[in-house]
Amino acid sequence: MKTDRELLELAARAAAMELWEGPEGAWRDVEYVRGLLLSCGCELWNPLADDGDALRLAVKLGLSFDSDLKLRLTVVENMEPGGIVVCEHHNDDPDAATRRAIVRAAAAIGEQMP
C-alpha cells in the first residue's frame, strides 16, 4: 500500500508534471509557479483533495471513470495496451473515492514508466 505522498509523486510523473513540495507539505506545480512569479502566488496541486485537479489529471492521462452510487463503487480505467483498472469503494464519500481512484490509476501509469 502506497502512501498519499507516493501516490501523488507517481501521478505527477505520469502527467509529466514537475512538482515542488513547499511549506507544510503543500504540492505546487513548478510550471504554474514560474508563470505566477510576477503575480505573487502559486497553485497547490492535490488531486486527492481537489475535484478540479483530479479531473484535469484524468483528462490529461485519458482515464475514464464511472461512479456507481447504487454499488457504492468508482471504477477508473485507461484503454491503452496493458491498461489499468482501479476500483475504489465509496464508504461515506463518493467524491473522495473517485478522486483517490483517479490518483491510484495515474500512479499505476507513473509506476510503469521507464
Side-chain angles (χ1 to χ4, degrees), residues 101-114:
I102 290 169
V103 171
R104 286 181 50 216
I109 292 168
E111 204 167 34
Q112 291 179 351
M113 295 174 73

Side-chain angles (χ1 to χ4, degrees), residues 11-57:
R13 180 180 186 191
M17 293 178 69
E18 183 182 358
L19 298 181
W20 169 67
E21 186 176 8
E24 302 171 14
W27 291 91
R28 291 172 169 82
D29 178 345
V30 171
E31 289 304 314
Y32 190 85
V33 172
R34 286 184 188 134
L36 285 181
L37 286 176
L38 297 177
S39 60
C40 76
C42 54
E43 182 172 314
L44 301 180
W45 184 79
N46 187 350
L48 287 172
D50 184 275
D51 293 343
D53 287 344
L55 181 59
R56 284 185 289 276
L57 179 61

